[in-house]
Amino acid sequence: SSLTVEGERSITDTDLLRERCYIGGDWVTGEDPPEHSLNPATFEPIGQFHPGSRTLADAAAAAARRAFFETSWAASPRLRAR
């Protein structure tokens, strides 16, 4: 299965996963420029990604905290199982 946000592409879209992070119900682009992922055997580029940052990690932690304390997610095994 895949997650689709209204007006956005599916989370299984690999280009989307390289471009942005899904935080608090929104696709967020990092502030830093993209970096190349290298093949460890040949050191040739095999793709690129936007690195995470402290700001994105803090935003993700805050979104998780809000979801836990401000929604019924924490009290519902059915919601957590999704």
Side-chain angles (χ1 to χ4, degrees), residues 48-64:
Q48 68 179 37
F49 63 95
H50 282 271
S53 66
R54 175 71 185 253
T55 303
L56 289 177
D58 289 345

Side-chain angles (χ1 to χ4, degrees), residues 21 23 28-32 51-63 66:
C21 300
I23 299 174
V28 181
T29 302
E31 304 87 26
D32 297 325
S53 66
R54 175 71 185 253
T55 303
L56 289 177
D58 289 345
R66 279 191 307 276

Side-chain angles (χ1 to χ4, degrees), residues 27-50:
W27 288 104
V28 181
T29 302
E31 304 87 26
D32 297 325
E35 293 185 14
H36 290 282
S37 180
L38 302 177
N39 179 327
T42 64
F43 297 103
E44 292 185 25
I46 56 174
Q48 68 179 37
F49 63 95
H50 282 271

Side-chain angles (χ1 to χ4, degrees), residues 6 14 18-19 21 27-28 32 38 47 52-53 75-76 78 80:
E6 188 174 329
T14 57
R18 281 187 284 252
E19 294 169 10
C21 300
W27 288 104
V28 181
D32 297 325
L38 302 177
S53 66
S76 173
R78 194 167 122 216
R80 290 194 314 273

